[in-house]
Amino acid sequence: MCGIVGYIGNSDATPALLSGLARLEYRGYDSAGISILSGGKIATTKRAGKLGVLVEALKKKPLPAGKVGIGHTRWATHGSPVDRNAHPHIDPEEKVAIIHNGIIENYQVLKEELERLGHYFSSDTDSEVVAHLLGIEYGKSADLTDAMERVCQRLHGNFSLVAIAIDSPGVLIGARRNSPLVVGLGQGENFLASDVSAFISFTKRALEIGQNQVVTLTADSCSISDFNGVTQSPREFQVTWDASAAEKNGFPHFMAKEIMEQPKAVADCLLGRMDENGHLTLNEVRLSDDEIRDIDKVIIIGCGSAYHAGMIAKYGIEHWSRLPVEVELASEFRYRDPIITRNTLVIAISQSGETMDTLMALRHAKDQRAKVISICNTYGASIPRESDGVIYTQAGPEIAVASTKAFLTQIVAAYLVGLYIAEIRGIKFIDEVRDILEELGELPEKIERYLETSERLKDLALEFKSAQSILFLGRHVGFPVALEGALKLKELAYMHAVGFAAGELKHGPIALIEEGTPVLVIMPNLNSPLHDKMVSNVQEIEARGARAIIITAENDTSITSPRAIRIPDAPTLFQPLLAVLPLQLFAYESAVVRGYDVDQPRNLAKSVTVE
Ligand code: F6R
């Protein structure tokens, strides 16, 4: 939540900051602002609304040119989205400007202390206290790094901060605890940002900043210390995708592009997972074979779509490894005193790798000595860094707020973990695992084949444009798919939508069915014992007036409904990767026909770095 970017170099900072903010807008989009250091002063423009509002304001009244600056795009936590709560925030003497992502938990105490010293606050945010404190500390020593270290020692909660100061025109300073911040190393210019997408069109060289660290940048140097001033050595990495991956490339929305990228994303997720002897290799797992053999339980944690991916993965991991798998919402996990031992494997699933609920659940698991593997799409993010091992999903940047290609690749990656465990524990022979991998390898072509013929979803979206409520039904692996379909429709089209396990219908939800109620049904495979039961469920709801839209395999001739949506046939465990596609498209088209912002739905943000 909140995107932050800082620039220092030999060019004017404003264009670099605006281009960074455009790439970070997915993180929050209820207000935006930038501050530039120019002529010994800090010049600031900030506006409530999307980035476009700020851009227009800057066109009418440009900021003076300056070679160091900071920019912010906000997802409100403390204080409504109005101009005065937008970042950057300035100290009362107008000597420093800061931007912040996260929550300062002790801001009330700090604010009262500052008010007793006569400070007046111009916003309702928690972040403004940082500007005031930094102004005071900077006034004492005129060393911005020292000042930032001292301020950080006083802050409770989560933060990434970037600041500039009028008497240090050649310095850009940042700090982080539990919130993301990366350095981009350019030629005669350097960057600080929430993620690499902000500077990818300038440089692919990046540095990870660790927990509780302060980073001091000039145009051509970078030094890192902890909050006590002890020098730290950062880890450099190369960004593996290029700027075009973070552009729309002719698609009307990032979500449309990301849906169409799913064949490639799944193929890329499977890349490099086999060694020359045909063994499944997950090099990044970093657990010894003995440790894997000792595992007696798996717990998967995640939020939202990542949680649904975990629910699907449970079927595969249990089936292949014969280990019991629990799936838990990360936000609930640590509050129920879960039973965790050294032999528990916790799998944390997160596209962003920064979701605070998942990070906190992961830490709880580690405190209890569990082994933790993460499944993540963002290199160097907090969750993979704090895990014993990581499987990167290799899906490329996902910019639209709604998860699509990340979701599919999370399922694939979790399946790979299940197969890996099964092979090491001797439950599956190498050739059995290879056969399953071959079937997985057929998915990109099947996904592509479905996506090429998916036009019909637009008509359905138009037909149900004004529906009061839409239900989703599934069974077995189709149940989490139903939940995912309902989540997508809620978050994008703002329609009331609920997913059910179809077997539960008769225990209550069937009362919701009335004349015309649209129900999307994920039909189990023809050879599944659940197929006929689902057919009966469809008859039950149609008899009560429901309009059932049945997502079913192309070879399932038993389904003759004119409302059938045909997907390529696949083994039961892989069916979710196909069945979810029409649901993604239905939510997408519904948002478009209802006139909503597909990529940036209201009240949401891509990376949820608060609990
Ligand atoms: C829904 C969606 C969210 C995320 C959830 C977890 O389309 O995208 O529900 O799945 O916020 O995010 P990550 O995977 O970054 O931890």
Side-chain angles (χ1 to χ4, degrees):
M1 340 224 70
C2 301
I4 63 181
V5 56
Y7 172 87
I8 186 158
N10 298 316
S11 309
D12 184 18
T14 300
L17 294 176
L18 288 178
S19 111
L21 288 181
R23 295 242 165 81
L24 293 175
E25 207 187 4
Y26 71 89
R27 299 178 63 86
Y29 34 82
D30 56 37
S31 47
I34 61 176
S35 287
I36 301 290
L37 211 56
S38 179
K41 286 194 175 135
I42 294 170
T44 301
T45 301
K46 49 191 192 175
R47 290 288 182 277
K50 295 205 169 168
L51 183 61
V53 181
L54 175 71
V55 171
E56 281 311 309
L58 288 169
K59 268 190 205 148
K60 281 192 198 130
K61 194 169 177 242
L63 285 172
K67 294 180 175 170
V68 53
I70 55 181
H72 188 271
T73 177
R74 179 167 186 247
W75 186 83
T77 56
H78 295 61
S80 56
V82 292
D83 286 359
R84 70 193 161 80
N85 288 334
H87 297 219
H89 291 288
I90 321 284
D91 74 308
E93 291 186 18
E94 300 187 6
K95 280 180 170 298
V96 301
I98 67 105
I99 47 178
H100 167 224
N101 168 32
I103 291 181
I104 307 298
E105 281 171 356
N106 57 338
Y107 85 100
Q108 271 301 0
V109 178
L110 296 169
K111 191 169 176 177
E112 282 160 22
E113 176 188 313
L114 289 159
E115 279 169 344
R116 281 197 294 278
L117 293 174
H119 283 237
Y120 169 78
F121 283 81
S122 46
S123 79
D124 310 317
T125 64
D126 54 336
S127 312
E128 194 184 346
V129 295
V130 180
H132 289 232
L133 288 174
L134 190 63
I136 293 174
E137 293 299 336
Y138 185 56
K140 286 183 193 160
S141 74
D143 180 325
L144 200 50
T145 309
D146 269 6
M148 182 60 100
E149 284 164 8
R150 282 198 300 275
V151 169
C152 289
Q153 287 169 9
R154 301 214 52 203
L155 304 178
H156 299 172
N158 317 319
F159 50 85
S160 23
L161 297 163
V162 182
I164 50 175
I166 51 167
D167 301 328
S168 305
V171 177
L172 179 70
I173 194 110
R176 77 170 282 259
R177 174 195 294 153
N178 288 339
S179 278
L181 191 63
V182 279
V183 178
L185 296 170
Q187 296 281 347
E189 58 185 6
N190 288 319
F191 303 81
L192 275 171
S194 302
D195 74 46
V196 297
S197 64
F199 52 72
I200 187 68
S201 49
F202 298 89
T203 179
K204 288 184 168 191
R205 280 181 66 206
L207 286 183
E208 283 180 3
I209 304 172
Q211 280 290 33
N212 300 323
Q213 292 184 353
V214 170
V215 53
T216 308
L217 291 184
T218 66
D220 41 32
S221 74
C222 167
S223 57
I224 298 190
S225 54
D226 67 14
F227 291 170
N228 297 314
V230 179
T231 304
Q232 305 290 309
S233 343
R235 197 181 74 82
E236 185 172 330
F237 65 100
Q238 197 74 12
V239 184
T240 51
W241 43 273
D242 59 21
S244 69
E247 309 284 353
K248 285 188 200 149
N249 287 347
F251 285 91
H253 303 100
F254 280 109
M255 186 179 175
K257 171 179 169 249
E258 287 158 11
I259 287 175
M260 297 316 267
E261 280 173 350
Q262 291 181 109
K264 179 170 182 322
V266 169
D268 287 352
C269 183
L270 289 167
L271 268 185
R273 309 295 191 186
M274 198 104 87
D275 71 10
E276 60 283 3
N277 303 318
H279 286 277
L280 179 57
T281 50
L282 298 179
N283 296 334
E284 320 94 317
V285 163
R286 298 194 291 270
L287 294 179
S288 70
D289 287 3
D290 279 344
E291 284 173 317
I292 288 186
R293 281 187 205 104
D294 286 343
I295 294 168
D296 58 15
K297 181 169 77 169
V298 177
I299 304 179
I300 304 180
I301 49 175
C303 302
S305 296
Y307 169 68
H308 297 155
M311 286 178 78
I312 293 166
K314 171 184 164 85
Y315 292 88
I317 299 176
E318 284 188 338
H319 179 69
W320 293 316
S321 72
R322 305 313 301 151
L323 283 172
V325 180
E326 293 170 16
V327 190
E328 178 115 16
L329 287 167
S331 53
E332 292 290 321
F333 178 68
R334 67 187 172 123
Y335 300 104
R336 72 163 170 100
D337 196 12
I339 298 165
I340 304 170
T341 69
R342 285 170 189 280
N343 296 334
T344 307
L345 173 69
V346 171
I347 304 178
I349 305 184
S350 174
Q351 187 285 134
S352 60
E354 298 293 348
T355 299
M356 190 53 69
D357 289 315
T358 312
L359 183 60
M360 288 303 169
L362 178 158
R363 286 187 185 157
H364 181 71
K366 285 201 83 177
D367 286 347
Q368 315 281 310
R369 303 277 183 269
K371 317 270 180 311
V372 179
I373 291 178
S374 54
I375 290 176
C376 185
N377 194 38
T378 313
Y379 286 84
S382 302
I383 288 173
R385 270 161 48 182
E386 296 196 23
S387 304
D388 297 311
V390 51
I391 312 286
Y392 283 111
T393 43
Q394 302 174 176
E398 192 178 67
I399 310 287
V401 162
S403 175
T404 52
K405 60 178 179 170
F407 175 73
L408 259 66
T409 53
Q410 284 164 352
I411 301 169
V412 173
Y415 277 176
L416 292 177
V417 175
L419 290 168
Y420 184 70
I421 297 173
E423 190 178 309
I424 289 177
R425 289 167 61 87
I427 315 280
K428 285 261 171 258
F429 292 120
I430 299 169
D431 53 344
E432 288 176 296
V433 171
R434 206 177 308 144
D435 288 349
I436 298 168
L437 285 176
E438 260 164 39
E439 284 175 330
L440 261 174
E442 289 168 14
L443 280 168
E445 183 274 320
K446 292 183 180 183
I447 295 168
E448 189 163 332
R449 185 145 54 84
Y450 171 73
L451 290 175
E452 278 165 3
T453 60
S454 56
E455 274 295 291
R456 270 195 59 205
L457 274 301
K458 212 177 279 172
D459 301 339
L460 265 191
L462 274 171
E463 183 181 347
F464 298 128
K465 186 179 170 195
S466 307
Q468 289 299 305
S469 177
I470 301 196
L471 308 186
F472 292 75
L473 293 185
R475 298 188 81 131
H476 192 260
V477 283
F479 168 45
V481 175
L483 297 180
E484 175 65 6
L487 173 64
K488 285 283 164 292
L489 195 64
K490 278 182 266 205
E491 71 175 321
L492 294 170
Y494 316 153
M495 293 171 89
H496 183 258
V498 205
F500 294 111
E504 280 293 294
L505 261 185
K506 55 192 177 297
H507 300 291
I510 199 162
L512 288 170
I513 306 283
E514 51 189 38
E515 199 55 45
T517 306
V519 185
L520 280 106
V521 178
I522 295 110
M523 185 58 67
N525 278 351
L526 195 51
N527 54 8
S528 158
L530 288 169
H531 180 273
D532 292 353
K533 294 202 183 344
M534 186 63 110
V535 170
S536 305
N537 293 144
V538 172
Q539 279 159 1
E540 285 152 18
I541 55 169
E542 284 186 331
R544 288 160 179 84
R547 286 180 286 175
I549 303 104
I550 306 176
I551 296 160
T552 183
E554 57 199 3
N555 61 350
D556 186 349
T557 49
S558 73
I559 305 294
T560 52
S561 162
R563 289 186 189 282
I565 293 174
R566 302 280 172 188
I567 53 172
D569 187 36
T572 293
L573 287 171
F574 303 155
Q575 194 213 32
L577 292 126
L578 295 155
V580 78
L581 303 174
L583 305 188
Q584 293 172 343
L585 287 161
F586 179 58
Y588 170 82
E589 297 293 359
S590 298
V592 172
V593 298
R594 285 163 65 89
Y596 297 130
D597 186 336
V598 175
D599 287 335
Q600 296 178 340
R602 68 184 177 203
N603 304 337
L604 295 176
K606 182 75 180 159
S607 177
V608 187
T609 53
V610 293
E611 267 191 281

